[in-house]
Amino acid sequence: MTTITLSQTIATVPGRIYELSFAFAARPGSHGNQTLHVEVGGETLFSQEQLLHTGALEYATVIFEAQQRETTMTFSDLGLGNTLGTLLNDIQVLDVTDAHMQ
């Protein structure tokens, strides 16, 4: 069950390599399972269950190759529908094609 989904479509160049980084955490004081699921261009690139309830941010980075002129990134909280969804912060997308060509 999805409790909330956030999506954004960004301009991309087909064939270019991008790095998506973000910070996340289970909401402090919440109970039960919180799961973060991330899709880029309809493909699951990150999924973590049983987020720690410490309140401390964890950081993740995923790499993807753009297939189209626009790419949609979707962040979904798949935990319990308890109004205490996953915290999400510091989302960044960088074109890292040149770094991967070396």
Side-chain angles (χ1 to χ4, degrees), residues 27-34 53 80 82 84:
R27 190 170 300 274
S30 61
H31 302 286
N33 181 29
Q34 285 182 272
H53 292 265
L80 299 173
N82 59 7
L84 299 172

Side-chain angles (χ1 to χ4, degrees), residues 34-81:
Q34 285 182 272
T35 299
L36 179 63
H37 183 82
V38 180
E39 291 184 7
V40 177
E43 180 182 346
T44 299
L45 294 185
F46 179 89
S47 189
Q48 185 169 334
E49 296 184 24
Q50 301 292 339
L51 300 182
L52 300 176
H53 292 265
T54 64
L57 289 172
E58 295 182 58
Y59 294 85
T61 300
V62 296
I63 304 293
F64 67 94
E65 181 177 336
Q67 303 299 311
Q68 300 179 19
R69 291 179 162 275
E70 292 184 332
T71 301
T72 300
M73 299 170 295
T74 303
F75 295 83
S76 299
D77 178 284
L78 303 177
L80 299 173

